[in-house]
Amino acid sequence: MRIIEQLLDTATHLFSTQGLRKTSLEELTAPAGIAKSSLYAFFDSKEDLYFEAMLRQSEQVRRRVIDEGLNRGADTRDALRRFLRATIAELDSNPLYRRLMSHPQEMAAVAAKLTPERTAVAADGPMADVLQFLSIHLKDDPQVLLGVLRAVLLTPLHAEHLGAEIYPAVMNRLIDAVTEGITP
């Protein structure tokens, strides 16, 4: 449906650049040529639209970070390295994904407005695949290990503080140190 696609395209752009709170209903609906109140004919709320924009990208993200990253590793350590590098590439190229990582309060605000059924859809995202991988391949608490991997993924959000000239080398060392540290 043309209106839904226009709303999703506009939402992806605006939520990536302005965030949830600063994006108005008028900004979301004007490009689709509908009244603000008409948004609710297509989505339950502005947060539901944000969630749908995120879901629309979820399969491509999963393919790049899980299928082409994590699942292609020669061993556990190599798989985690591939996952981290693929996820960092995703953060560099996908503004909405980067926004979600750098503004977790937005995802919390979105989740607070979703029905339990809609929330359950998100539980099957790429991080669920990583959690399952960790529980199968490593003996430590998978939630703690996932937290360690997420901590690595926060570093690209502060790349400018490291300096552009050394950032790639820093990330390579960090990925190597972490993956060597958590794998046998």
Side-chain angles (χ1 to χ4, degrees):
M1 191 170 205
R2 185 194 69 75
I3 292 174
I4 291 175
E5 284 304 311
Q6 181 63 57
L7 288 168
L8 286 166
D9 289 345
T10 301
T12 299
H13 171 72
L14 292 174
F15 292 146
S16 298
T17 57
Q18 298 178 179
L20 178 66
R21 285 186 47 233
K22 291 183 180 177
T23 300
S24 71
L25 288 179
E26 186 174 342
E27 290 173 305
L28 290 167
T29 57
I34 62 172
K36 293 186 291 185
S37 61
S38 296
L39 174 77
Y40 303 109
F42 302 98
F43 297 95
D44 290 342
S45 63
K46 184 167 74 165
E47 291 81 3
D48 189 43
L49 175 57
Y50 195 121
F51 183 70
E52 197 59 41
M54 181 193 73
L55 283 180
R56 186 168 77 159
Q57 294 185 6
S58 184
E59 279 310 307
Q60 292 93 2
V61 170
R62 173 180 268 128
R63 183 179 46 76
R64 290 187 289 264
V65 303
I66 301 300
D67 298 341
E68 297 171 10
L70 188 69
N71 292 340
R72 294 256 173 113
D75 56 30
T76 302
R77 187 175 297 162
D78 183 51
L80 292 174
R81 283 183 179 138
R82 288 173 178 271
F83 164 75
L84 288 169
R85 288 188 175 103
T87 304
I88 289 167
E90 192 68 28
L91 289 170
D92 289 342
S93 65
N94 184 329
L96 185 60
Y97 192 69
R98 185 177 185 89
R99 179 83 188 187
L100 289 168
M101 285 290 289
S102 62
H103 296 79
Q105 72 279 10
E106 286 190 11
M107 194 60 231
V110 168
K113 288 273 197 154
L114 297 177
T115 65
E117 295 79 24
R118 293 286 281 159
T119 304
V121 172
D124 192 35
M127 286 303 171
D129 296 329
V130 177
L131 197 56
Q132 180 180 10
F133 179 91
L134 294 170
S135 66
I136 292 169
H137 295 282
L138 298 172
K139 294 181 196 258
D140 292 328
D141 181 342
Q143 291 289 345
V144 170
L145 296 174
L146 184 59
V148 170
L149 297 177
R150 284 183 168 157
V152 172
L153 296 174
L154 292 174
T155 305
L157 304 176
H158 304 283
E160 70 278 359
H161 299 295
L162 298 170
E165 66 283 348
I166 65 165
Y167 170 73
V170 169
M171 286 310 301
N172 282 331
R173 289 280 181 106
L174 180 60
I175 289 169
D176 288 347
V178 167
T179 55
E180 287 174 23
I182 66 173
T183 57

